[in-house]
Amino acid sequence: AKETLHDLDFLVATDKPEELTDFFTQLPEATKVISHGSTKAQIYLENGLQCDLRAVSNAEFPFALQYFSGSKQHNVAIRSRAKSFDLSLNEYGYSALQEGTEIPKCHTEQDIYRALQLDWIPPELRENRGEIEAAEQGLIPRLIEIDNLRGAFHNHTTASDGKHSLLEMAEASRDLGLQYLGIA
């Protein structure tokens, strides 16, 4: 599990990347600009959190999303697999390693994995710990979804530092179809 938050990464598809990076570096919450280019920028917020922005085209977006939501180890393994299909893969797209190799059309992350004869691998599993082999065999597990949520144990009300009363919390839980609500 990766519970520690080190920075926030923003990935945006735009046809005006320079305007976006200019806007990003001029946010009132930005206390320091670390870097500022035509397609990427990095800032520090007032609370010390680093925020990185990457602006890509619509065509590049699924590749950038796949690249930036996987671990380094996963990306190395996926790039290696792409080579076995005579393809080079990076955060901008596929390219042919040999003349005559057809470059797959990819509009989604699913297309990127499909071109490598893999099922889509959810970002939470992109650690190169067997997920590629599982995707090759059609064995990617179904992850927890919001419909699996039955209740919550640790909640605060206005009796401490929460924003809603116990009655409001109970009614909202019932409206959500939850089976239990724990107050701390």
Side-chain angles (χ1 to χ4, degrees), residues 9-25 35-42 51-58 60-61 64 68 91-92:
D9 297 321
F10 298 93
L11 178 62
V12 180
T14 179
D15 57 357
K16 299 179 181 178
E18 289 186 57
E19 287 181 33
L20 185 60
T21 58
D22 288 347
F23 173 80
F24 184 73
T25 58
S35 68
H36 180 194
S38 60
T39 60
K40 55 186 170 180
Q42 296 176 303
C51 295
D52 300 352
L53 170 71
R54 179 69 67 110
V56 297
S57 70
N58 283 336
E60 295 167 338
F61 186 79
F68 289 111
E91 66 265 35
Y92 301 108

Side-chain angles (χ1 to χ4, degrees), residues 155-172:
N155 301 279
H156 294 241
T157 67
T158 52
S160 62
D161 60 348
K163 295 186 180 188
H164 300 285
S165 70
L166 177 59
L167 180 60
E168 291 170 320
M169 295 286 288
E171 288 173 347

Side-chain angles (χ1 to χ4, degrees), residues 81-100:
R81 185 173 178 95
K83 286 179 183 176
S84 70
F85 288 83
D86 290 328
L87 295 167
S88 175
L89 173 64
N90 63 27
E91 66 265 35
Y92 301 108
Y94 278 122
S95 58
L97 289 175
Q98 292 188 24
E99 193 174 321

